Amino acid sequence: MKPSLANTKSETAAMKLVALELRLTRKPGSLLSQVEVALADQGRPLRWAITAVSGEELQIEAVVVQESP
Amino acid sequence: MTAPLPTLLVIPTGIGCSIGGYAGDGLPVARLLAAASSCVITHPNVMNGAALYWSDSRIHYVEGSGLDRFAAGRLALRPVRSQRIGLLFDAGIEPELQRRHLQVADGCRATLGLDIGPVVSTEVALDVSLEQGPSGASWGRLGQPEALLRAGERLKKAGATAIAVVSRFPEDPESESLAAYRSGGGVDVLAGAEAVISHLLCEQLGIPCAHAPALSPLPLNPELDPRAAGEELGTTFLPCVLVGLSRAPDLLAWPSSGNAATPELLRPDDVGAVVAPAGALGGSAVLSCAERGVPVIAVENPCVLQVSAAALGLEVLPATNYTDAAGLVMALREGVAPRSLIRPLSILAPNQEA
């Protein structure tokens, strides 16, 4: 998942695995919920981690599942 | 005898952890923590040493996504005597390489007494790709996820209660990253894709799953780092996966009134500690535990990430190494307050709420 590949995807399947890099500004409250909500906008999170933190800004790397209706 | 203290051991895969970032070299840590706690729940990256493995009834082998859901309180674990392991092959594996894997499975049946079969192959090659994120962590995807899931469903319908998946991985014997890994540096570039494959299968099927990459043998390297050596003893990475899955606990949806009274069940609320690298605390299992009030033991174990307790605002018990962490687990198990073991010991104030 190189930066230039963010949101790359396989083209052949109705189900796609999409690599993401997200940046999220943290707010008070459950950190886990904030990450899960941010990822859910992109698809079903398959694997993710907070990979860097700078003050209140989080960098998240993830692979999510996107399914065609 | 003091009751066990179920302890989660997390060493995330593909981030170059000094301990646990290679060929199952987190396994001695799992054994140590099993002695300290009498109950460790950990994931394949910790236990998988390719041709090397360890079986211990106190160590529960749970695929990473299952471990995350257990930590989040959405799964319970039911220990079993044995699993019937289905073998799932990527159609992209060459016939001779597939035969090598089948012979490993036969060897595990004949020599270790494991229950292996049925065997299926995907209809099309899975098309695995390897990637690295901006942090340096390894990731990856597969181009045919539905083919993987269809093959997994076939195995489950045929009676498999756990699945070992073997997929053909791209290889570049001359790559700098491979050379670094074999000399004890950098990250395991295969690991991220392996985790994605096993997460997808485990989440979809709800049974224990683990992955072994199919690769051609590498030329001899006299300078091979001992931590990577487990992967160069044989022609496959499969033995550890089969042994791990053979006694992997069943994954049960939780909470469930139907299973609540089962005495041997490991419940999320039973977890008494989570042990994780101090610079890799930003994963689902650790955050779930921290938010549920489970003590987090943060161990110095250098990796490519620097997502620390201070950065995330987490309260943790720091440990300088895994022997230190084992001591903290024993303290928690015995009901000794870890703070009482540290000097200076602060004086209580009349109105001190924290």
Side-chain angles (χ1 to χ4, degrees), chain B residues 22 27 31 179 220 265 290 325:
Chain B
Y22 296 84
L27 204 159
R31 293 183 60 197
L220 180 69
L265 209 60

Side-chain angles (χ1 to χ4, degrees), chain B residues 309-347:
Chain B
L312 294 173
L314 300 180
E315 186 177 330
V316 300
L317 299 170
T320 53
N321 52 50
Y322 283 101
T323 51
D324 195 5
L328 287 168
V329 167
M330 291 178 71
L332 292 168
R333 183 179 179 186
E334 292 291 331
V336 176
R339 205 181 284 183
S340 72
L341 300 169
I342 298 168
R343 296 294 180 272
L345 193 58
S346 61
I347 300 169

